[in-house]
Amino acid sequence: MSKLTTMASCLALTAALTACRGKADESFDYHVDRFEDIEVLRYQVPDFENLTPDQKRLVYYLQEAALWGRDILWDQNCKYNLATRGLLEDVYQNYNGDREDPNFKAFETYLKQVWFANGLHHHYSMDKFTPRFSQEWLETQVSNIEGEPRDAQADAIIYKYIFDPSFMAKRVNQAAGEDLIVTSAMNMYDGVTQKQVEDYYAALKDTTDLTPISYGLNTRVTIDNDGKVIEQQYKVGGLYSDKIEKIVENLQKASQYAENDNQRKTINQLIDFYQTGDLKMFDEYSITWAGDTASRVDFINGFIESYGDPLGMTGSWESIVNFKNNEASERTEVLSSNAQWFEEHSPVDPRFRKPHVKGVSAKVITAAILAGDSYPATPIGINLPNANWIRAQHGSKSVTIENITQAYDAAAHGNGFNEEFVHDAETRQLLDDYLFITDNLHTDLHECLGHGSGQLLPGVDPDALKAHGSTLEETRADLFALYYLADPKLIELGLLDNPDAYKAEYYKYMLNGLMTQLQRIEPGKDIEEAHMRNRALISRWAMEHGAADNVVDMVKENGKTQLIINDYDKLRELFGQLLSEIQRIKSEGDYKAGETLVEQYAVKVDPELHKEILDRYATLDIAPYKGFVNPVYKAVTDNDGNITDVTIDYSEGYIDQMLRYSAEY
Ligand code: ZN
């Protein structure tokens, strides 16, 4: 379970961004669709036209390789997803009735939710969607479809999957004490119990191996005909072979246009991995990939993050193709070249600091395509590879995806959030002026320095914090970022031009952690997700520990709770104190202290405040979750079929894109 609990990688999820003003292109229409708790946006790919012809060809084939993996993820999320999507899309496309009919409207919304989640379970809460149309209505629509007779038995399971709330209820169940495999709907295991899986890996793992493979990363665990537990590999000739062959075909084409030998080697090693399923090869690929810092174009493609597996082993398929934003990357290069300074000045016990910080290469990127588990909902920062020993010996690459943060930013402009939730005009102005840059700097600091900082004392088990490991790791990285955002060093390094700029991020962070992130929680539920827990932990702890000095105030004005920060300097000191304690907990593996902090500050929700936040949000109609449609790349070819140019088009809508992906890939 190493990855689940140590959380080497991190997806700084999108909740961090709420409102502010960026360098938005006023004429670009960011808004695409809005339904239930979702808003779909589009993003720009600035500078694409300035790539060289070969870089454009490279992007073109890499984005094809990205789009071909879509169905792998759908199937990993639940074994009934693809068949169900097929039935729903058939009904949608063959429907001849009134498209304004309430049943059809409810059906359309449901299908939009399913598309967004890559399956029937909400991408964030993991709960199954509730259809607001009847099984009878759907069966009637299915019977109206002309063509081949349908398989009634197969359809019966689909109806059960859609309409029986207790069947495949949760995609990833994390409830302690239950069989997490049996009670989770994901498809990374089939017909096995948690105990069987754990015994299987316990027998397989060599605990003395200092460079272990990522066990189970590309496999489904099941039982063979003799009742023996086995792994089936995702590879050419194995599971998902038809899709993986298409991915490989496009990677082969991409490899012809690699920018340099190192990048070509990276692509070829990935191809070898897909062809063999050999996880040693995946590690070699990861090492070469981490070392390729010279190429402008870069990509993630494969079974990467393991949040979709309740045991945290199997990677969900994803891909992001991107290229470096040279101008903005000066920011992260300055940070990472000063990594040692930050480590030495951090407010933690010197015993817990790294004597030598391994260089984390950090850059700001422009996403060109989002796919698999990164689509439509996408991270804004990524730090890979995940294998701890590769990170320690070979370093890692950390990125901030700025055209995505820019799209969030632009789409939020004028949505009324600041007027509703930010207490006074002065603070609103500060957010207008500085939230975009400080939010991005927060992501940079969190990803490229925060996660990489600190060390464990000798002999401490990296998994000692168990189920609270992810929350505490995110807490540590956020505190590192918050603490240094207010440091004069950032002015000295030329990253900020105003000593008060950090206050914009402080205000928004506290507002989010104490109040506005509750928008994402259903009434009566606890906070579950690691990043949300971490924000609650930090903001509530700081509020409580600053109470004697009146550092942060929450007051009721006209029936609305308002946040007022009275002493920003003191708030920074509190962040430093908590960072020191969290680092101690991690370095010493103090599970008890970590558990106490999480349970005391990060889980429970005040029902009265919660209701108020939900009511206030309702008047604004701001979606708690956002995602994106991709641009469409078209290859312009000469008479011999050679690509002479690649064009980019932003006009495709959400439904059209989903139906086209299903038809073409
Ligand atoms: Zn993180």
Side-chain angles (χ1 to χ4, degrees), residues 7 9-12 446-447 451 473-474 477-478 531:
M7 199 72 175
S9 83
C10 156
L11 306 177
H446 173 119
E447 295 289 350
H451 280 303
E473 177 55 20
E474 293 311 320
D478 261 1
H531 295 79

Side-chain angles (χ1 to χ4, degrees), residues 509-515 517-518 521 525-527 532-547 552 554 571 574-575 578 597-607 609-610:
Y509 194 93
M510 292 296 286
L511 181 67
N512 191 33
L514 291 169
M515 295 169 53
Q517 73 164 354
L518 296 177
I521 308 281
K525 296 215 166 152
D526 287 341
I527 304 175
M532 289 180 71
R533 283 190 169 182
N534 119 54
R535 291 181 205 120
L537 197 167
I538 291 173
S539 54
R540 291 167 176 182
W541 186 95
M543 168 113 193
E544 189 183 298
H545 286 74
V552 179
M554 279 166 86
L571 184 56
L574 290 166
F575 289 152
L578 185 57
L597 274 177
V598 171
E599 285 181 352
Q600 198 171 343
Y601 296 102
V603 181
K604 291 295 166 205
V605 177
D606 169 3
L609 178 64
H610 191 190

